[in-house]
Amino acid sequence: DQQVKQNSPSLSVQEGRISILNCDYTNSMFDYFLWYKKYPAEGPTFLISISSIKDKNEDGRFTVFLNKSAKHLSLHIVPSQPGDSAVYFCAAHGNAGNMLTFGGGTRLMVKP
Amino acid sequence: GAVVSQHPSRVICKSGTSVKIECRSLDFQATTMFWYRQFPKKSLMLMATSNEGSKATYEQGVEKDKFLINHASLTLSTLTVTSAHPEDSSFYICSAPRRGNTEAFFGQGTRLTVV
């Protein structure tokens, strides 16, 4: 049973436009959500996070929105840049032991 | 900032040999570390939770005798792939949460190729 889902395996966006990556979860006990960015052959790097008590967190070009009633979060990147091309994972925290539950990832391609 | 160092970044080994991957937390103590495996075009799959001073907890379907985990100190966890086979070829990543911090810090990953 996949508790965190990213239903779009890939997304292609033109440079300068907005990229919106979506993530859905089923476990209402999750209390913290994170987005990670991963380049090929590298470990994931932390991008931005949001607590379940908030509905929005912004950091530069990156904004994460959380809709608790819909159990949905999204990552907005604006303006998108070619260097943003990577795989983006959303992750949820709330299980015992500080373990993160990851979504399947979305490959973002930003075209110049 | 907190850093998790993973070594080696890339290893090629012959089928039947064993490979050890190290994961170190550089500026904080990690009583728990996590080992993930990523298959091509697939998500990170949690393999096991490494606990300092006690046995690791393995996820369902992960062979504990094949993937030996040792968490001998508060800053070091090792994953040993024993009697490696070509199907073990993958990208392995460790992560460590810092106490009081929800964010998990990741190692650089290890690309294992078994020939």
Side-chain angles (χ1 to χ4, degrees), chain A residues 36 38 43 46 97 99 102-103, chain B residues 34 38 43 46 103-104 106 108:
Chain A
Y36 287 85
K38 185 181 181 303
F46 170 72
M99 191 180 79
F102 284 91
Chain B
F34 302 104
Q38 184 181 30
S43 179
L46 179 66
E103 178 189 343
F106 287 88
Q108 301 93 323

Side-chain angles (χ1 to χ4, degrees), chain B residues 73-94:
Chain B
S73 77
L74 287 171
T75 59
L76 174 64
S77 175
T78 60
L79 167 68
T80 301
V81 183
T82 64
S83 186
H85 288 106
E87 57 264 32
D88 298 325
S89 298
S90 190
F91 191 62
Y92 295 86
I93 306 173
C94 69

Side-chain angles (χ1 to χ4, degrees), chain A residues 2 31-32 34 36 38-46 87 89 93 97-105 107, chain B residues 10 32 34 36 38 41-44 46 49 59 91 93 97-109 111:
Chain A
Q2 212 172 348
D31 59 4
Y32 204 82
L34 307 94
Y36 287 85
K38 185 181 181 303
Y39 292 113
E42 294 183 12
T45 54
F46 170 72
V87 177
F89 292 96
H93 174 274
N98 270 344
M99 191 180 79
L100 292 177
T101 303
F102 284 91
R107 183 177 301 278
Chain B
R10 187 180 296 269
T32 302
F34 302 104
Y36 296 87
Q38 184 181 30
K41 298 184 180 180
K42 291 189 178 179
S43 179
L44 296 171
L46 179 66
T49 302
E59 295 300 301
F91 191 62
I93 306 173
R98 185 167 56 184
R99 189 183 297 277
N101 189 328
T102 306
E103 178 189 343
F105 299 98
F106 287 88
Q108 301 93 323
R111 168 70 61 190

Side-chain angles (χ1 to χ4, degrees), chain A:
Chain A
D1 178 34
Q2 212 172 348
Q3 297 188 66
V4 179
K5 288 184 180 179
Q6 292 175 255
N7 291 317
S8 298
S10 65
L11 174 69
S12 183
V13 171
Q14 203 66 36
E15 181 180 6
R17 307 293 289 268
I18 184 171
S19 296
I20 301 177
L21 298 104
N22 295 302
C23 180
D24 297 291
Y25 63 96
T26 57
N27 190 339
S28 58
M29 299 302 292
F30 288 141
D31 59 4
Y32 204 82
F33 302 91
L34 307 94
W35 284 94
Y36 287 85
K37 179 179 178 180
K38 185 181 181 303
Y39 292 113
E42 294 183 12
T45 54
F46 170 72
L47 200 56
I48 193 170
S49 64
I50 187 167
S51 166
S52 62
I53 63 174
K54 295 187 176 181
D55 55 19
K56 178 183 175 181
N57 187 26
E58 190 173 350
D59 183 4
R61 296 186 297 116
F62 303 93
T63 304
V64 56
F65 295 92
L66 175 63
N67 183 333
K68 282 189 68 177
S69 60
K71 293 190 177 67
H72 175 85
L73 64 153
S74 61
L75 173 67
H76 292 212
I77 306 173
V78 57
S80 302
Q81 299 173 354
D84 295 330
S85 297
V87 177
Y88 289 79
F89 292 96
C90 74
H93 174 274
N95 299 324
N98 270 344
M99 191 180 79
L100 292 177
T101 303
F102 284 91
T106 297
R107 183 177 301 278
L108 173 66
M109 292 163 284
V110 180
K111 297 180 178 178

Side-chain angles (χ1 to χ4, degrees), chain B residues 11-49:
Chain B
V11 58
I12 300 172
C13 70
K14 290 186 176 180
S15 186
T17 62
S18 295
V19 174
K20 180 185 283 188
I21 303 170
E22 293 187 347
C23 182
R24 294 180 185 272
S25 57
L26 296 185
D27 62 355
F28 67 100
Q29 293 180 333
T31 56
T32 302
M33 291 187 178
F34 302 104
W35 287 95
Y36 296 87
R37 179 175 177 178
Q38 184 181 30
F39 294 94
K41 298 184 180 180
K42 291 189 178 179
S43 179
L44 296 171
M45 302 294 292
L46 179 66
M47 298 175 63
T49 302

